[in-house]
Amino acid sequence: FYPDRARPCSCADQSASLLQLGAMFGWLKEKASIGVEATTGAVQERMDTAKGGKKLVDEGGQPARAALLAKGDAKDAVGTDKEANRLISLGAERLETAAKKLREAAGMPDVEGIQGKEKFALWADSYEKRAAAYKQAGALLTGELEGPVFSDVETDALRLVLAQEGYEWAYEKGASAAGAAAKS
């Protein structure tokens, strides 16, 4: 309950309120229109990119498909190499930590219920040797490989090629399975 609003509004107050409300709706309509235009523009841009990818595959034929697949494999290989280097470093670190903890625990009194403690020092030795090997491998694999860069059109073209190849693979598998079933 608002005591100051309990009294009836004058026609001037109502007109002013309606004008403010109209201005607010006009502002909202303008913002919505801008949002729709931006969305429409983004959708059109996305469609143009997809059409460009299809055109690249259609007009480029097998050479385009081969180049796209090669770039895709190269990008995957660079990513795998980066992850392998990360895991080599992490593996060495974890092995060293485990060896240190095994040596510490090996020097403590035996506890009933802990099995394999007699092997802790042996395990620590082998972990330290493996960590050293990982470090040597990591030292040989310095620097990052350069990978290919894809334009948006190339990305869509590669997706199309991969989808087509997946379809062809599935069709071939289905045909061979159907042929095998028909022979039996």
Side-chain angles (χ1 to χ4, degrees), residues 74-99:
K75 184 175 182 179
D76 289 347
V78 168
T80 300
D81 178 73
K82 185 176 183 176
E83 179 66 5
N85 285 333
R86 185 187 73 78
L87 290 174
I88 286 172
S89 176
L90 180 63
E93 181 182 315
R94 287 189 175 170
L95 286 167
E96 287 176 336
T97 300

Side-chain angles (χ1 to χ4, degrees), residues 96-129:
E96 287 176 336
T97 300
K100 180 181 175 189
K101 289 181 178 183
L102 284 166
R103 287 200 190 285
E104 288 173 6
M108 295 180 180
D110 289 346
V111 176
E112 190 175 331
I114 301 293
Q115 298 178 1
K117 187 173 178 232
E118 69 280 358
K119 294 182 181 180
F120 281 14
L122 179 68
W123 292 343
D125 287 341
S126 68
Y127 293 2
E128 288 168 345
K129 287 177 185 173

Side-chain angles (χ1 to χ4, degrees), residues 1-139:
F1 175 72
Y2 300 99
D4 61 328
R5 293 189 185 168
R7 61 179 165 44
C9 292
S10 68
C11 289
D13 288 342
Q14 289 178 351
S15 294
S17 293
L18 288 175
L19 285 174
Q20 288 175 345
L21 191 59
M24 183 179 75
F25 282 125
W27 178 83
L28 285 172
K29 183 178 176 184
E30 179 184 332
K31 292 298 179 189
S33 175
I34 291 170
V36 168
E37 289 172 13
T39 301
T40 302
V43 168
Q44 185 59 50
E45 185 178 322
R46 185 67 189 95
M47 289 300 296
D48 290 345
T49 301
K51 287 178 185 176
K54 183 169 179 0
K55 181 179 178 183
L56 179 60
V57 172
D58 290 347
E59 292 180 6
Q62 186 56 35
R65 294 170 71 86
L68 289 164
L69 290 170
K71 282 182 76 172
D73 284 349
K75 184 175 182 179
D76 289 347
V78 168
T80 300
D81 178 73
K82 185 176 183 176
E83 179 66 5
N85 285 333
R86 185 187 73 78
L87 290 174
I88 286 172
S89 176
L90 180 63
E93 181 182 315
R94 287 189 175 170
L95 286 167
E96 287 176 336
T97 300
K100 180 181 175 189
K101 289 181 178 183
L102 284 166
R103 287 200 190 285
E104 288 173 6
M108 295 180 180
D110 289 346
V111 176
E112 190 175 331
I114 301 293
Q115 298 178 1
K117 187 173 178 232
E118 69 280 358
K119 294 182 181 180
F120 281 14
L122 179 68
W123 292 343
D125 287 341
S126 68
Y127 293 2
E128 288 168 345
K129 287 177 185 173
R130 181 62 58 98
Y134 278 5
K135 285 184 174 185
Q136 286 178 338

